[in-house]
């Protein structure tokens, strides 16, 4: 079930192009309001069309708020110039003129996963189960998902990279919901030699940040795995990582999920109501099992990304098919014998158990 590793490119095989400010002003008709796509952590993003090639791109104009923005700019150019993978947003080029810092990326026509999951639009259908799994895990015809992008950063890049800011708003979607990771301003080169962590100032996004990293500032690959677990939980449940419209422990998706993970009869309560029961039961269990392992408090209990990719490859093969999967509702499902057998044999999700991911699928 393991897919062939896709090797990292030679470091000089991909070079970001240097743009002049005039070229990017041209491409966006002087950053015209109608081309504004949105505002990310580090600046405003515009859609543009490059003169000459006609290529449609996304142009991020970094905030000019002192040194931090510049550092992120350099990290992003260096990280992405050295990376090339179908699940990482391609950096086409950059511009550093006067105090202006801009990054030019491939344009991702469907926008962010955050927007698809959490913003209802009349013009758009709710993401169905199969599409959600494709985004996270990939699906058929060599289309890999967000997890593969993380695997590339952790296991294929030389030196390996900790992403540090994995969240739904940084997962962008191309045609056919092909998912790519974006925004590498916080990325860090991973520990080398015998080191298990790099010590840094704690940065990232509240709600996605691993508790061990938040507490100690010790950043490990397992910090990204925790964030991945939060993203997977959001995808399955439709809840936000932090939801300020709720009160108490329900505000945090992790605090809400932990007690539910202890009782498998409650798993059905966790499926996004917007799915209207249209998901394969085993798929729901497996996705939640993976998420539960990723968000464990102890970093060394969290799985490695390669194991997650393996488990997800299997999960994505369990497509939802309305002809063979009845629509689920909490009441109807508990009486299903086959489900009981599946769940009791394979999914004992007591929090902190030491089952390997392979055993779960
Ligand atoms: O959710 P969105 O539509 O997708 O709004 C945000 C906004 O810019 C701030 O990050 C969008 N965005 C960022 N990078 C790209 C890109 N490469 N292609 C298309 N949209 C992008 C993101």
């Amino acid at each position: 079930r393991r897919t062939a590793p896709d090797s990292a490119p030679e470091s000089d095989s991909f070079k970001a192009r240097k743009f002049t400010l005039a070229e990017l002003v041209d491409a966006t008709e002087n950053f015209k309001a109608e081309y504004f796509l949105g505002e990310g952590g580090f600046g405003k993003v515009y859609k543009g069309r490059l003169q000459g090639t006609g290529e449609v791109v996304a142009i991020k104009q970094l905030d000019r708020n002192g040194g931090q923005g510049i550092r992120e700019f350099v990290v992003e150019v260096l990280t992405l110039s050295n990376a090339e993978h179908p699940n990482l947003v391609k950096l086409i080029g950059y511009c550093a003129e006067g105090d202006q810092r801009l990054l030019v990326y491939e344009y991702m026509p469907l926008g962010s996963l955050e927007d698809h999951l959490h913003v209802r639009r009349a013009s758009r259908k709710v993401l169905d189960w199969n599409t959600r799994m494709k985004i996270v895990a990939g699906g058929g015809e060599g289309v890999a998902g967000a997890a593969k992008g993380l695997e590339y950063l952790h296991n294929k890049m030389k030196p390996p990279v900790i992403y540090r800011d994995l969240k739904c708003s940084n997962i962008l979607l191309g045609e056919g919901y092909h998912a790519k990771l974006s925004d590498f301003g916080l990325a860090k080169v991973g520990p080398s030699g015998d080191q298990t962590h790099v010590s840094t100032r704690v940065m990232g996004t509240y709600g996605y940040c691993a508790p061990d990293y938040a507490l100690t500032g010790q950043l490990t690959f397992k910090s990204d795995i925790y964030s991945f677990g939060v993203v997977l939980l959001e995808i399955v449940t439709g809840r936000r990582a932090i939801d300020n419209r709720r009160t108490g422990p329900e505000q945090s998706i992790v605090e809400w999920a932990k007690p539910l993970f202890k009782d498998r009869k409650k798993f059905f309560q966790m499926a996004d109501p917007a799915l209207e029961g249209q998901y394969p039961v085993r798929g729901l269990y497996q996705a939640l099992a993976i998420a539960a392992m990723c968000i464990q408090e102890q970093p060394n209990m969290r799985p490695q990304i390669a194991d997650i990719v393996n488990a997800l490859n299997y999960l994505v093969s369990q497509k939802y098919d309305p002809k063979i999967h009845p629509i689920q509702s909490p009441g109807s499902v508990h009486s299903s014998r086959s489900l009981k057998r599946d769940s009791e044999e394979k999914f004992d999700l007591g929090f902190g158990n030491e089952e390997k991911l392979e055993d779960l699928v």
Side-chain angles (χ1 to χ4, degrees):
R1 282 199 252 121
R2 209 173 273 273
T3 46
D6 25 9
S7 58
E10 296 297 316
S11 57
D12 61 353
S13 65
F14 175 67
K15 287 217 163 48
R17 188 176 141 197
K18 191 167 183 183
F19 287 94
T20 63
L21 187 57
E23 283 175 293
L24 302 186
V25 165
D26 254 11
T28 55
E29 293 181 38
N30 202 10
F31 301 98
K32 210 172 174 180
E34 75 183 70
Y35 299 142
F36 178 65
L37 291 172
E39 186 140 16
F42 303 120
K44 295 191 171 70
V45 184
Y46 293 83
K47 186 175 177 180
R49 183 186 290 273
L50 298 177
Q51 301 289 324
T53 62
E55 195 176 353
V56 177
V57 293
I59 300 174
K60 182 161 74 179
Q61 193 175 35
L62 261 78
D63 294 331
R64 278 171 282 174
N65 58 353
Q68 194 176 310
I70 301 298
R71 185 197 166 273
E72 264 108 43
F73 174 79
V74 173
V75 169
E76 183 128 18
V77 173
L78 290 179
T79 309
L80 275 183
S81 299
N82 199 23
E84 200 172 8
H85 187 270
N87 297 106
L88 303 187
V89 169
K90 187 171 160 197
L91 180 72
I92 294 169
Y94 64 96
C95 166
E97 231 176 79
D99 61 354
Q100 289 273 0
R101 297 289 178 274
L102 299 109
L103 293 159
V104 182
Y105 304 95
E106 67 175 304
Y107 177 66
M108 299 292 289
L110 300 189
S112 71
L113 173 60
E114 162 96 3
D115 193 57
H116 281 263
L117 267 185
H118 301 311
V119 183
R120 295 270 176 271
R121 293 187 200 279
S123 57
R124 206 166 57 192
K125 282 196 298 185
V126 168
L127 285 180
D128 62 33
W129 177 264
N130 294 343
T131 308
R132 292 179 197 216
M133 291 306 109
K134 179 177 174 179
I135 290 169
V136 74
E141 298 115 42
V143 180
K148 270 269 181 183
L150 197 59
E151 186 188 29
Y152 176 85
L153 295 175
H154 285 191
N155 293 349
K156 311 278 163 59
M157 277 196 79
K158 293 184 188 89
V161 165
I162 303 175
Y163 183 28
R164 228 192 346 170
D165 205 15
L166 183 55
K167 54 183 172 179
C168 290
S169 58
N170 278 348
I171 298 177
L172 299 183
L173 303 169
E175 291 300 348
Y177 295 94
H178 185 128
K180 301 192 184 198
L181 308 183
S182 76
D183 243 319
F184 289 81
L186 291 187
K188 268 264 173 206
V189 166
S192 54
D194 294 339
Q195 298 292 324
T196 54
H197 65 266
V198 271
S199 293
T200 73
R201 197 150 54 97
V202 175
M203 292 172 85
T205 303
Y206 180 57
Y208 292 90
C209 189
D212 43 298
Y213 171 52
L215 218 65
T216 64
Q218 296 188 344
L219 183 72
T220 67
F221 293 102
K222 297 297 178 75
S223 320
D224 279 349
I225 300 296
Y226 181 94
S227 312
F228 181 85
V230 177
V231 167
L232 186 53
L233 261 184
E234 283 188 78
I235 288 177
V236 172
T237 66
R239 288 186 168 231
R240 291 171 190 268
I242 296 289
D243 192 341
N244 293 320
R245 293 166 307 183
R246 299 180 194 269
T247 51
E250 289 241 325
Q251 280 198 337
S252 148
I253 198 169
V254 170
E255 293 314 313
W256 166 78
K258 274 185 177 171
L260 299 173
F261 278 145
K262 291 199 175 112
D263 179 355
R264 70 175 79 83
K265 289 198 284 302
K266 303 234 165 95
F267 275 26
F268 298 100
Q269 293 174 19
M270 299 177 78
D272 185 352
L275 288 167
E276 297 179 335
Q278 298 180 48
Y279 52 80
V281 174
R282 290 191 57 143
L284 177 77
Y285 268 68
Q286 289 157 356
L288 288 173
I290 297 168
M293 291 197 162
C294 294
I295 59 162
Q296 292 180 94
E297 298 248 333
Q298 287 286 332
N300 55 2
M301 300 288 281
R302 298 175 203 146
Q304 298 196 355
I305 189 65
D307 295 325
I308 296 176
V309 167
N310 268 344
L312 288 174
N313 278 343
Y314 180 73
L315 200 160
V316 83
S317 68
Q318 317 245 307
K319 291 239 176 350
Y320 175 74
D321 180 346
K323 291 201 262 327
I324 52 174
H325 296 107
I327 292 180
Q328 303 302 328
S329 68
S332 68
V333 185
H334 294 316
S335 57
S336 152
R337 277 188 65 213
S338 66
L339 170 75
K340 197 159 180 251
R341 197 176 60 236
D342 281 352
S343 60
E344 288 183 354
E345 279 175 10
K346 300 210 170 180
F347 303 107
D348 183 9
L349 272 184
F351 230 70
N353 76 21
E354 288 174 43
E355 257 175 315
K356 288 213 193 85
L357 264 183
E358 293 100 274
D359 301 335
L360 283 165
V361 293

